[in-house]
Structure formats: structure tokens, C-alpha cells
């Protein structure tokens, strides 16, 4: 167990399981298999989960491109202003209260 850091914070780093990104055995924060070593955290070489919860994972540098085409991204209904997942927009049109009758 290593405690503290040069900036005086009280983080605890362990020589532990392999980094999930580079598989090296560097200093890892926490003891979980999902841990990432300091160099990978610093370079941003960490796979991040999609912020919309679709299950996709990619590097931070690639995440914006995914977010623009993610089927779970939120879009606003032009009629009722409700936010809904992109993949549900056609089903929503059938039951949208602002559109009145069922649209097919």
C-alpha cells in the first residue's frame, strides 16, 4: 500500500491486479479488476462506458463520435418536447399525446 501523493492528497494506491487497459502491474487505484494504472489514467487511454447507457465502451477520444450516433442518445420530441432515446422515436410518434390521434 502506498499512501498520499506529491500534491498532498490522501489517495491510496496499491501494487495490485493488472491494469485493465495496458495489463501492466503498475500502481493501481483500488483492488478491483476494473482498476487502471496511473500512466493509463494520465494519458486518457481508458475505455469509458457510454454516457447514455447503451453498453458501448471506447476511449475518451472516440466517445464523442459514438455519442452522436448512439441509439440510446436522448432526442426531444418536436410535438410534446419529451426527451426519449433515439431508438424509440418512431414508437413514440404512435403514442405522443401532443400529436392527438395515433400516427402510423
Amino acid at each position: 500500500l502506498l499512501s498520499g501523493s506529491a500534491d498532498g492528497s490522501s489517495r491510496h494506491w496499491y501494487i495490485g491486479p493488472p491494469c485493465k487497459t495496458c495489463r501492466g502491474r503498475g500502481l493501481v487505484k483500488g483492488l478491483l479488476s476494473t482498476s487502471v494504472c496511473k500512466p493509463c489514467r494520465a494519458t486518457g487511454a481508458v475505455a469509458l462506458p457510454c454516457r447514455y447507457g447503451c453498453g458501448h465502451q471506447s476511449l475518451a477520444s472516440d466517445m464523442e463520435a459514438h455519442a452522436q450516433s448512439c441509439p440510446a442518445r436522448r432526442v426531444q420530441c418536436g410535438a410534446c418536447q419529451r426527451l426519449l432515446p433515439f431508438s424509440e422515436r418512431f414508437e413514440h410518434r404512435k403514442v405522443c399525446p401532443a400529436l392527438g390521434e395515433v400516427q402510423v
Side-chain angles (χ1 to χ4, degrees):
L1 166 68
L2 300 174
S3 183
S5 65
D7 65 1
S9 65
S10 60
R11 295 184 184 111
H12 296 286
W13 295 87
Y14 302 85
I15 304 274
C19 167
K20 74 172 190 171
T21 303
C22 69
R23 302 291 181 215
R25 285 203 176 267
L27 295 177
V28 176
K29 186 174 186 179
L31 293 174
L32 303 174
S33 62
T34 58
S35 299
V36 177
C37 69
K38 271 184 150 180
C40 287
R41 283 184 187 274
T43 61
V46 178
L48 301 172
C50 174
R51 65 178 170 240
Y52 300 118
C54 73
H56 176 82
Q57 291 189 354
S58 67
L59 298 177
S61 59
D62 300 329
M63 190 53 74
E64 192 55 39
H66 166 73
Q68 292 177 5
S69 63
C70 178
R73 72 186 183 276
R74 305 301 187 257
V75 294
Q76 190 171 32
C77 172
C80 72
Q81 308 307 310
R82 178 177 167 212
L83 286 176
L84 57 136
F86 181 78
S87 61
E88 295 177 13
R89 69 193 187 287
F90 293 116
E91 287 299 313
H92 174 74
R93 280 185 58 99
K94 295 176 184 177
V95 296
C96 179
L99 292 176
E101 296 181 20
V102 175
Q103 304 293 313
V104 287

